[in-house]
Amino acid sequence: MSTMAQALEPDVHRITRAEYRTLHEAGYFEDRRVELLEGVIVEMQAMGKPHILAMAWLTRHVVRGLRDGLITNPALPVAASNISQPQPDLLVVDERWPDLQADDMPHGGLLAIELTWSSHHRDLVVKPSIYAGAGIPEYWVVDLRDQLVVVHTNPTTDGYASTQTATPPDVLDACGVAVPLDELFAYALRDEA
């Protein structure tokens, strides 16, 4: 954080999810990809071709293998707290959304996945505490540039107690679905070589 940002911090108004929703409904964010993180409206990274391909592959692959009772949807927002509404690239939830409230979005999930090329700090430093606070038991950061996945597990009030890094040819378990990293990265990066 810059010196200016640190000086302004005590005077910054952090908006709530209700205020954020009002702005959305008023069309304030039309044609912009944003999410609410700790009361701050944050521009989301542009989706390059590897990001789009990885999201398509993961969605198709995970959906095909999920057991009955679980569903996924790309870019489904999560009501993580009163001041955070992240929008993971993929979220696996119980199809009944037992904690669904009046805002028609899940307040948790089983697995959140973020795909990153350039937003490493946000995905690896800011979002773990948000997803852990929402009670999401597992959070993945799929680093497309470096071809690795940081897996966060064991949520606590401060983030996740455990992290591990997986690389091809590792195979990860996404709620019972085997995810071979070599296939994921080969598909997502097929035009990058």
Side-chain angles (χ1 to χ4, degrees):
M1 185 181 300
S2 72
T3 305
M4 169 102 44
Q6 288 172 335
L8 292 174
E9 182 64 27
D11 300 320
V12 171
H13 169 73
R14 297 196 179 271
I15 69 169
T16 65
R17 283 190 328 96
E19 292 168 322
Y20 179 68
R21 183 177 184 155
T22 299
L23 291 170
H24 249 294
E25 290 170 353
Y28 186 76
F29 305 118
E30 193 170 326
D31 299 326
R32 295 172 67 192
R33 294 184 66 239
V34 296
E35 60 189 339
L36 181 65
L37 303 176
E38 298 297 325
V40 177
I41 299 166
V42 179
E43 294 276 350
M44 296 169 67
Q45 77 180 41
M47 283 192 197
K49 190 172 183 180
H51 191 134
I52 293 166
L53 290 172
M55 195 150 96
W57 187 92
L58 271 170
T59 302
R60 181 188 70 219
H61 187 78
V62 172
V63 165
R64 285 181 177 169
L66 283 177
R67 66 175 166 78
D68 286 345
L70 298 181
I71 59 173
T72 188
N73 190 12
L76 182 67
V78 179
S81 73
N82 187 45
I83 59 169
S84 289
Q85 185 176 304
Q87 194 168 319
D89 290 300
L90 197 68
L91 179 69
V92 178
V93 296
D94 184 293
E95 70 181 2
R96 295 173 306 240
W97 288 348
D99 46 6
L100 189 67
Q101 297 184 7
D103 54 12
D104 297 328
M105 70 180 60
H107 285 242
L110 302 173
L111 170 65
I113 300 176
E114 294 281 3
L115 303 168
T116 186
W117 188 273
S118 61
S119 60
H120 295 85
H121 179 77
R122 184 180 315 153
D123 295 329
L124 291 169
V125 177
V126 176
K127 289 186 177 179
S129 62
I130 293 171
Y131 288 128
I136 297 174
E138 194 164 342
Y139 166 51
W140 297 2
V141 178
V142 179
D143 184 331
L144 296 166
R145 186 177 54 203
D146 294 333
Q147 297 185 42
L148 59 86
V149 179
V150 179
V151 178
H152 300 79
T153 56
N154 302 318
T156 70
T157 56
D158 297 324
Y160 289 91
S162 303
T163 60
Q164 70 176 35
T165 302
T167 57
D170 294 342
V171 177
L172 295 177
D173 181 305
C175 298
V177 180
V179 177
L181 297 186
D182 51 357
E183 291 180 29
L184 167 61
F185 289 119
Y187 189 85
L189 301 170
R190 63 187 185 197
D191 296 332
E192 296 299 306

